[in-house]
Short mmCIF file of all heavy atoms in Angstrom, two decimals:
data_model
loop_
_atom_site.label_atom_id
_atom_site.label_comp_id
_atom_site.label_asym_id
_atom_site.label_seq_id
_atom_site.Cartn_x
_atom_site.Cartn_y
_atom_site.Cartn_z
N LYS A 5 0.88 -1.20 -0.04
CA LYS A 5 0.03 -0.02 -0.05
C LYS A 5 0.93 1.23 0.11
O LYS A 5 1.90 1.33 0.74
CB LYS A 5 -0.91 0.04 1.15
CG LYS A 5 -2.04 -1.12 1.20
CD LYS A 5 -2.81 -0.92 2.41
CE LYS A 5 -3.94 -2.06 2.36
NZ LYS A 5 -4.92 -1.94 3.54
N VAL A 6 0.52 2.23 -0.86
CA VAL A 6 1.30 3.41 -0.90
C VAL A 6 0.48 4.52 -1.20
O VAL A 6 -0.71 4.45 -1.62
CB VAL A 6 2.30 3.40 -2.11
CG1 VAL A 6 3.46 2.32 -1.98
CG2 VAL A 6 1.62 3.15 -3.46
N LYS A 7 0.83 5.70 -0.68
CA LYS A 7 -0.10 6.94 -0.84
C LYS A 7 0.08 7.64 -2.18
O LYS A 7 -0.84 8.21 -2.77
CB LYS A 7 0.26 7.91 0.30
CG LYS A 7 -0.10 7.48 1.58
CD LYS A 7 0.15 8.52 2.69
CE LYS A 7 -0.38 8.10 4.10
NZ LYS A 7 -0.11 9.12 5.12
N ASP A 8 1.33 7.50 -2.74
CA ASP A 8 1.64 8.24 -3.99
C ASP A 8 1.59 7.26 -5.09
O ASP A 8 1.59 6.02 -4.94
CB ASP A 8 2.98 8.94 -3.92
CG ASP A 8 3.13 10.00 -2.78
OD1 ASP A 8 2.07 10.65 -2.68
OD2 ASP A 8 4.14 10.09 -2.16
N ALA A 9 1.57 7.78 -6.37
CA ALA A 9 1.55 6.94 -7.61
C ALA A 9 2.84 6.53 -7.84
O ALA A 9 3.41 6.63 -9.03
CB ALA A 9 0.87 7.73 -8.73
N ALA A 10 3.58 5.88 -6.98
CA ALA A 10 4.86 5.40 -7.20
C ALA A 10 5.16 4.32 -6.17
O ALA A 10 4.65 4.41 -4.97
CB ALA A 10 5.91 6.48 -7.07
N TRP A 11 6.04 3.29 -6.52
CA TRP A 11 6.48 2.35 -5.48
C TRP A 11 7.91 1.94 -5.90
O TRP A 11 8.25 1.88 -6.96
CB TRP A 11 5.53 1.11 -5.57
CG TRP A 11 6.01 0.07 -4.73
CD1 TRP A 11 5.80 -0.17 -3.33
CD2 TRP A 11 6.86 -1.09 -5.02
NE1 TRP A 11 6.40 -1.30 -2.76
CE2 TRP A 11 7.09 -1.87 -3.88
CE3 TRP A 11 7.47 -1.50 -6.26
CZ2 TRP A 11 7.88 -3.04 -3.89
CZ3 TRP A 11 8.26 -2.62 -6.27
CH2 TRP A 11 8.39 -3.43 -5.12
N ASN A 12 8.66 1.71 -4.84
CA ASN A 12 9.98 1.12 -5.14
C ASN A 12 10.37 0.10 -3.94
O ASN A 12 9.89 0.26 -2.86
CB ASN A 12 11.11 2.24 -5.24
CG ASN A 12 11.25 2.95 -3.85
OD1 ASN A 12 11.76 2.47 -2.87
ND2 ASN A 12 10.77 4.19 -3.84
N GLY A 13 11.02 -0.94 -4.48
CA GLY A 13 11.43 -2.03 -3.62
C GLY A 13 12.52 -2.85 -4.26
O GLY A 13 12.77 -2.74 -5.42
N ARG A 14 12.67 -3.93 -3.59
CA ARG A 14 13.71 -4.88 -4.17
C ARG A 14 13.07 -6.31 -4.46
O ARG A 14 12.32 -6.81 -3.71
CB ARG A 14 14.89 -5.19 -3.19
CG ARG A 14 15.66 -3.91 -2.84
CD ARG A 14 16.85 -4.34 -1.94
NE ARG A 14 17.61 -3.04 -1.71
CZ ARG A 14 18.49 -2.47 -2.46
NH1 ARG A 14 18.71 -3.03 -3.62
NH2 ARG A 14 19.17 -1.36 -2.15
N LEU A 15 13.33 -6.61 -5.78
CA LEU A 15 12.66 -7.91 -6.28
C LEU A 15 13.89 -8.80 -6.88
O LEU A 15 14.77 -8.29 -7.47
CB LEU A 15 11.67 -7.57 -7.43
CG LEU A 15 10.48 -6.77 -7.00
CD1 LEU A 15 9.62 -6.49 -8.28
CD2 LEU A 15 9.65 -7.50 -6.02
N ALA A 16 13.69 -10.00 -6.68
CA ALA A 16 14.58 -11.00 -7.30
C ALA A 16 14.40 -11.02 -8.69
O ALA A 16 13.15 -10.79 -9.24
CB ALA A 16 14.50 -12.36 -6.61
N PRO A 17 15.39 -11.16 -9.54
CA PRO A 17 15.14 -11.27 -11.06
C PRO A 17 14.16 -12.49 -11.31
O PRO A 17 14.19 -13.51 -10.74
CB PRO A 17 16.58 -11.55 -11.54
CG PRO A 17 17.40 -10.99 -10.54
CD PRO A 17 16.70 -11.21 -9.26
N GLY A 18 13.30 -12.14 -12.30
CA GLY A 18 12.30 -13.06 -12.64
C GLY A 18 11.17 -12.37 -13.37
O GLY A 18 11.11 -11.24 -13.72
N LYS A 19 10.10 -13.28 -13.63
CA LYS A 19 8.83 -12.89 -14.31
C LYS A 19 7.86 -12.52 -13.25
O LYS A 19 7.62 -13.34 -12.29
CB LYS A 19 8.31 -13.92 -15.30
CG LYS A 19 9.33 -14.18 -16.38
CD LYS A 19 8.71 -15.28 -17.39
CE LYS A 19 9.72 -15.47 -18.51
NZ LYS A 19 9.08 -16.54 -19.36
N TYR A 20 7.05 -11.43 -13.39
CA TYR A 20 6.08 -11.01 -12.37
C TYR A 20 4.79 -10.63 -13.14
O TYR A 20 4.75 -10.21 -14.33
CB TYR A 20 6.63 -9.79 -11.61
CG TYR A 20 7.77 -10.24 -10.65
CD1 TYR A 20 9.00 -10.21 -11.11
CD2 TYR A 20 7.50 -10.46 -9.29
CE1 TYR A 20 10.12 -10.47 -10.25
CE2 TYR A 20 8.57 -10.81 -8.51
CZ TYR A 20 9.82 -10.83 -8.92
OH TYR A 20 10.88 -11.18 -8.12
N MET A 21 3.71 -10.75 -12.27
CA MET A 21 2.37 -10.28 -12.67
C MET A 21 1.99 -9.14 -11.74
O MET A 21 2.19 -9.30 -10.49
CB MET A 21 1.29 -11.32 -12.82
CG MET A 21 1.58 -12.46 -13.62
SD MET A 21 1.57 -11.87 -15.38
CE MET A 21 -0.18 -11.55 -15.49
N MET A 22 1.41 -8.06 -12.12
CA MET A 22 1.14 -6.99 -11.20
C MET A 22 -0.29 -6.42 -11.57
O MET A 22 -0.73 -6.44 -12.64
CB MET A 22 2.13 -5.78 -11.56
CG MET A 22 1.84 -4.69 -10.54
SD MET A 22 2.76 -3.18 -11.03
CE MET A 22 1.86 -2.64 -12.51
N LYS A 23 -0.99 -6.18 -10.35
CA LYS A 23 -2.35 -5.58 -10.39
C LYS A 23 -2.36 -4.44 -9.58
O LYS A 23 -1.58 -4.28 -8.61
CB LYS A 23 -3.49 -6.57 -9.99
CG LYS A 23 -3.61 -7.68 -11.00
CD LYS A 23 -4.84 -8.55 -10.55
CE LYS A 23 -4.75 -9.16 -9.20
NZ LYS A 23 -5.92 -9.94 -8.95
N LEU A 24 -3.13 -3.45 -9.84
CA LEU A 24 -3.23 -2.14 -9.18
C LEU A 24 -4.64 -1.66 -8.94
O LEU A 24 -5.37 -1.78 -9.81
CB LEU A 24 -2.32 -1.04 -9.98
CG LEU A 24 -2.40 0.32 -9.52
CD1 LEU A 24 -1.57 0.44 -8.12
CD2 LEU A 24 -1.72 1.27 -10.48
N ARG A 25 -5.00 -1.17 -7.77
CA ARG A 25 -6.22 -0.54 -7.55
C ARG A 25 -6.06 0.69 -6.58
O ARG A 25 -5.09 0.71 -5.80
CB ARG A 25 -7.29 -1.44 -7.03
CG ARG A 25 -7.09 -1.97 -5.68
CD ARG A 25 -8.20 -2.85 -5.26
NE ARG A 25 -7.90 -3.48 -3.88
CZ ARG A 25 -8.82 -4.31 -3.43
NH1 ARG A 25 -9.94 -4.74 -4.01
NH2 ARG A 25 -8.56 -4.82 -2.18
N SER A 26 -7.03 1.58 -6.65
CA SER A 26 -6.86 2.79 -5.85
C SER A 26 -8.02 2.71 -4.67
O SER A 26 -9.04 1.98 -4.81
CB SER A 26 -7.22 4.07 -6.65
OG SER A 26 -8.44 3.97 -7.22
N ARG A 27 -7.81 3.52 -3.79
CA ARG A 27 -8.81 3.67 -2.50
C ARG A 27 -9.10 5.19 -2.42
O ARG A 27 -8.13 5.96 -2.55
CB ARG A 27 -8.23 3.15 -1.20
CG ARG A 27 -8.30 1.60 -1.31
CD ARG A 27 -7.64 1.12 0.05
NE ARG A 27 -7.66 -0.37 0.10
CZ ARG A 27 -8.73 -1.10 0.53
NH1 ARG A 27 -9.82 -0.54 0.90
NH2 ARG A 27 -8.51 -2.48 0.57
N ASP A 28 -10.38 5.50 -2.14
CA ASP A 28 -10.69 6.94 -2.12
C ASP A 28 -10.60 7.32 -0.58
O ASP A 28 -10.02 6.58 0.25
CB ASP A 28 -12.11 7.20 -2.59
CG ASP A 28 -13.21 6.37 -1.78
OD1 ASP A 28 -12.87 5.89 -0.67
OD2 ASP A 28 -14.38 6.32 -2.27
N TYR A 29 -11.09 8.50 -0.25
CA TYR A 29 -10.85 9.05 1.02
C TYR A 29 -11.60 8.27 2.20
O TYR A 29 -11.19 8.36 3.30
CB TYR A 29 -11.29 10.51 1.21
CG TYR A 29 -12.79 10.68 1.02
CD1 TYR A 29 -13.57 10.83 2.16
CD2 TYR A 29 -13.47 10.71 -0.15
CE1 TYR A 29 -14.94 10.99 2.07
CE2 TYR A 29 -14.80 10.88 -0.31
CZ TYR A 29 -15.58 11.07 0.83
OH TYR A 29 -16.97 11.11 0.71
N ARG A 30 -12.50 7.47 1.77
CA ARG A 30 -13.21 6.57 2.75
C ARG A 30 -12.53 5.29 2.89
O ARG A 30 -13.03 4.42 3.74
CB ARG A 30 -14.65 6.29 2.20
CG ARG A 30 -15.53 7.59 2.08
CD ARG A 30 -16.74 7.29 1.26
NE ARG A 30 -16.52 6.86 -0.05
CZ ARG A 30 -17.49 6.39 -0.78
NH1 ARG A 30 -18.66 6.23 -0.33
NH2 ARG A 30 -17.15 6.01 -2.05
N GLY A 31 -11.51 5.01 2.04
CA GLY A 31 -10.92 3.71 2.10
C GLY A 31 -11.56 2.64 1.22
O GLY A 31 -11.23 1.49 1.40
N VAL A 32 -12.56 3.14 0.49
CA VAL A 32 -13.27 2.12 -0.34
C VAL A 32 -12.30 1.84 -1.63
O VAL A 32 -11.93 2.82 -2.30
CB VAL A 32 -14.57 2.71 -0.79
CG1 VAL A 32 -15.28 1.77 -1.76
CG2 VAL A 32 -15.41 3.13 0.34
#
């Protein structure tokens, strides 16, 4: 979970699948 439209972290080399969704001020 991140507040800004960016993320960084460390990943092992390989193939990945990624999904993304947002939450509003209510947390929905």
Side-chain angles (χ1 to χ4, degrees):
K5 292 182 179 180
V6 294
K7 291 183 177 181
D8 299 321
W11 175 87
N12 61 74
R14 296 188 181 277
L15 297 177
K19 295 181 180 180
Y20 291 85
M21 300 294 292
M22 184 191 71
K23 293 190 296 182
L24 175 69
R25 68 180 180 181
S26 62
R27 288 181 180 270
D28 61 15
Y29 69 96
R30 297 171 296 171
V32 176

